[in-house]
Amino acid sequence: MKIFGFAGWSGSGKTTLIEKLIPRFVKRGLRVSLIKHAHHTFDVDHPGKDSYRHRHAGAAEILVTSSRRWVLMHELRGAHEPPFEEQVKRISPCDLLLVEGFKFAPIPKLEVWRAETGEPLLHPNDPHIVALASDAKVETRLPLLDLNDVDGIAQFILKKMELA
């Protein structure tokens, strides 16, 4: 399994870019999966649903399954968040695992950066960032990709991951 990450500040366009890249990879016949690190208050379950009720009653894990999908929810209940490497082990085999939000994971990453976020560049302090995608002219030692050239970014990732 090849693992490639996306780093960037909130509002930089990481999720939108990944959403556009996935169909391009799938069209090439690749099985693509994703790990997204979310804010600690995120929830995929909603009040009133059976799984929500069971989770709030104290269940540590709830597996919801149907003929179309299944999801496993695991409540940490005060335990430490498992490290990135442990989370990767939970993913079923795939050709390409995309990772969003694990800024410090030691994996090759594309930095997505927009000047309007007002945030500094990450790559000067992260040796795992292999390229920068931006909609602005940026002085960098890394390959600079046009954030609006999704096909070009896809090709870069496929080549970097030796999937092209």
Side-chain angles (χ1 to χ4, degrees), residues 10-159:
S10 180
S12 63
K14 296 180 305 295
T15 300
T16 300
L17 176 60
I18 292 168
E19 182 181 20
K20 291 176 181 178
L21 287 168
I22 290 172
R24 285 164 169 83
F25 297 145
V26 170
K27 188 175 181 181
R28 293 182 64 97
L30 298 175
R31 182 176 171 89
V32 180
S33 295
L34 179 108
I35 293 180
K36 177 176 174 58
H37 191 269
H39 190 270
H40 70 276
T41 59
F42 90 98
D43 203 344
V44 295
D45 209 1
H46 304 285
K49 296 293 184 183
D50 294 352
S51 54
Y52 180 94
R53 293 169 57 195
H54 297 148
R55 187 165 48 97
H56 282 270
E61 285 192 337
I62 301 95
L63 187 127
V64 181
T65 186
S66 76
S67 62
R68 293 183 181 248
R69 70 186 58 90
W70 65 270
V71 63
L72 175 64
M73 289 179 281
H74 181 97
E75 285 292 318
L76 292 175
R77 305 264 182 234
H80 289 288
E81 178 181 355
F84 173 73
E85 295 77 16
E86 192 174 318
Q87 300 292 22
V88 169
K89 292 176 187 174
R90 299 177 197 275
I91 297 291
S92 297
C94 63
D95 300 306
L96 180 60
L97 174 60
L98 302 178
V99 177
E100 181 183 351
F102 283 89
K103 281 186 184 134
F104 304 107
I107 58 172
K109 292 180 282 247
L110 174 72
E111 179 174 359
V112 179
W113 187 81
R114 291 182 190 269
E116 60 262 21
T117 65
E119 299 289 353
L121 290 162
L122 297 172
H123 72 271
N125 299 310
D126 185 343
H128 300 289
I129 294 176
V130 297
L132 175 67
S134 181
D135 58 356
K137 181 85 172 128
V138 180
E139 288 298 321
T140 177
R141 59 177 169 68
L142 298 175
L144 178 60
L145 308 173
D146 180 346
L147 187 53
N148 297 309
D149 180 11
V150 180
D151 289 328
I153 293 171
Q155 279 306 113
F156 176 86
I157 293 169
L158 290 169
K159 186 176 178 185

